[in-house]
Amino acid sequence: MAKKSILVTGGSGFLGSHLCERLLDMGHEVLCVDNFFTGQKANILHLVDNPYFEVLRHDVTFPLYIEVDEIYNLACPASPIHYQFDPVQTTKTSVHGAINMLGLAKRIRGKILQASTSEVYGDPEMHPQREDYWGHVNPNGLRACYDEGKRCAETLFFDYHRQHKLRIKVARIFNTYGPRMAMNDGRVVSNFIIQALQGKPITVYGKGEQTRSFCYVDDLVDGLIRLMQDTPDEFTGPMNLGNPGEFTILELAETVIAMTGSKSRIEFKPLPSDDPMQRRPDITLAKSTIGWEPRVNLEIGLRKTIEYFDAQLKAERG
């Protein structure tokens, strides 16, 4: 396999850091670009001594002039707490960031992958969600900065493909979890684990009947790389990447309590605005095109994630 020079935007984030690590393990050169708004230097600290790894502090809403072979565009806050903190900047990161990275890919004549999201489906009326479903999204809601930003980014990718013959890949990522999730990102898996480890009430919104599908990070990264490397140029996606196993939020809370041996009780709170009631990917396309499906079940993945957060909390306590 030929060594490539690969740019990963958002490379110090949860997903980005795992992707950088895997690409280095495969023998590539990796340039990690991040403005460290949500990314953590600690996520990539173990990579900095690798001579084939480079870090650049940069905001993708501004143009970037470099020479690489391929681009993975992961830059964007991905949890509601973070993307709603500065919603205008979130939209700019998705839209301006896509324009700048597509412009770079056009100049270098490189291949580029967009990390899109299951949020493009909104609160879906189709279940499970297939790639040909156009979605049910509130364009004016609190989540629209992320949902519509990602939808617009997809539009830009496909227009660059049609207009400039750019080689693109679009992955729609469903709920992903694992080590290096930010402790303060407000996502359900990290929230529940931290609350359980600290013996605090487990916060469940609504009755906990809404469903989610949880994909372990190693499986997800494998899917991204296969989509980028194992499909012909004429295959663009979008392609769903996620675990089709479906669990209610209440089931997840009870599982985390049992696995941590916590004495936490479950506390119910009102459902947030525009919170989707169901999420489950149809991964038929991924199976047939790149032979991909998740291998890590929820219990194994949660055990590894619990161990990570337990170590983080112990380190904070000194």
Side-chain angles (χ1 to χ4, degrees), residues 5-24 28-35 44 47 53-56 58 60 64 66 68-75 101 104 113 115 221 224-225 228:
S5 175
I6 301 176
L7 165 63
V8 179
T9 71
S12 73
F14 161 51
L15 274 182
S17 63
H18 284 276
L19 177 60
C20 287
E21 187 174 53
R22 183 79 65 87
L23 292 170
L24 287 168
H28 299 299
E29 295 183 10
V30 176
L31 172 59
C32 164
V33 167
D34 210 300
N35 68 351
I44 54 172
L47 303 177
F53 182 68
E54 189 177 354
V55 183
L56 175 65
H58 179 81
V60 295
L64 183 61
I66 55 168
V68 291
D69 299 314
E70 292 180 351
I71 302 168
Y72 287 80
N73 186 37
L74 274 62
M101 291 305 107
L104 174 60
L113 180 144
V221 167
L224 291 176
I225 293 172
M228 188 66 139

Side-chain angles (χ1 to χ4, degrees), residues 111-125:
K111 188 160 50 173
I112 181 169
L113 180 144
Q114 167 67 2
S116 190
T117 172
S118 62
E119 297 299 328
V120 301
Y121 299 123
D123 190 4
E125 295 171 324

Side-chain angles (χ1 to χ4, degrees), residues 135-209:
H136 179 227
V137 177
N138 176 2
N140 306 309
L142 292 175
R143 302 170 70 102
C145 59
Y146 184 69
D147 301 2
E148 295 288 35
K150 289 288 192 177
R151 284 163 69 95
C152 185
E154 284 198 17
T155 300
L156 286 161
F157 265 69
F158 281 96
D159 283 338
Y160 265 78
H161 172 67
R162 285 185 285 259
Q163 189 170 337
H164 301 296
K165 311 302 180 191
L166 200 63
R167 292 179 294 155
I168 67 164
K169 308 290 178 184
V170 176
R172 289 180 177 163
I173 298 171
F174 282 68
N175 291 60
T176 306
Y177 71 100
R180 298 184 207 149
M181 294 181 80
M183 294 178 68
N184 63 343
D185 70 3
R187 295 193 224 191
V188 65
V189 172
S190 52
N191 265 9
F192 285 2
I193 291 174
I194 291 168
Q195 288 169 339
L197 289 172
Q198 294 179 332
K200 296 179 179 178
I202 305 288
T203 307
V204 172
Y205 295 97
K207 296 179 181 178
E209 294 173 346

